[in-house]
Amino acid sequence: MRPPVAKLMDYGKFKYESAVKARESRKNQTQTVVKEIKLRPKKGHVERFLKAGDKVKVTIMFRGREQSRPELGFRLLQRLAGDVEELGFVESQPKQDGRNMIMVIGPHRKKSETKAHAGQSHSRSVPSPRAAATAAPEPAASEPAADSAVVPGPA
């Protein structure tokens, strides 16, 4: 028969270490934000949200007689999805929910990838004025310039 083995430990230290681990894991996560557009969807807003890496929930609210023609709303949402195809994909197809028709569009890039990509392209595309001045020194006065060369013509 084996005797039971018990490990004695400092409970305060254990609680502290588990809290630190939980904090570290939260720091590495990114929250997925769902932006919602109601009434008439504006393509510019949808594009801006998708570029930022957020999901977009597009809701069309049917009023009055519009409720009898839901296929028009479906067509409108399909056209919107086609317009923003390069920025995102349709996560949930348009479906009727009472007086509303709802569709969710997710970005191709996650929010963290979008931030990293924006930071890289921004730092590369804008050189500092000081770096530009040192990279291209002006030609010295003793060297003849190429555009001021004398071309012999008919005499």
Side-chain angles (χ1 to χ4, degrees):
M1 210 73 205
R2 281 195 244 151
V5 178
K7 180 180 177 186
L8 296 176
M9 55 193 293
D10 184 356
Y11 186 67
K13 182 179 176 184
F14 171 74
K15 290 281 284 182
Y16 172 75
E17 287 175 351
S18 63
V20 168
K21 280 183 190 174
R23 201 176 315 129
E24 286 294 319
S25 66
R26 270 198 309 272
K27 190 164 67 171
N28 295 332
Q29 289 178 350
T30 57
Q31 254 90 30
T32 303
V33 181
V34 178
K35 306 283 187 173
E36 186 170 4
I37 295 179
K38 286 194 173 184
L39 276 177
R40 303 291 169 228
K42 303 264 190 294
K43 190 175 101 173
H45 294 306
V46 174
E47 287 177 346
R48 186 178 65 211
F49 294 147
L50 289 173
K51 282 179 185 172
D54 294 322
K55 289 183 182 182
V56 182
K57 179 180 179 182
V58 184
T59 305
I60 293 182
M61 297 169 67
F62 294 112
R63 297 179 298 222
R65 290 187 196 162
E66 294 174 350
Q67 293 180 45
S68 62
R69 303 286 304 275
E71 65 274 3
L72 294 177
F74 183 81
R75 238 183 283 153
L76 183 69
L77 288 175
Q78 291 290 24
R79 194 173 73 206
L80 177 71
D83 289 346
V84 296
E85 198 171 21
E86 66 277 353
L87 298 172
F89 62 97
V90 178
E91 247 180 45
S92 72
Q93 290 294 329
K95 56 181 168 274
Q96 186 90 26
D97 181 29
R99 293 176 51 183
N100 303 331
M101 186 171 278
I102 299 169
M103 176 176 74
V104 178
I105 303 174
H108 287 307
R109 283 203 184 120
K110 290 187 179 122
K111 198 160 193 165
S112 56
E113 293 174 22
T114 306
K115 285 182 183 175
H117 183 71
Q120 289 174 351
S121 64
H122 182 69
S123 63
R124 262 191 257 150
S125 64
V126 183
S128 69
R130 191 174 290 165
T134 58
E138 295 182 19
S142 62
E143 297 175 9
D147 55 328
S148 63
V150 179
V151 178

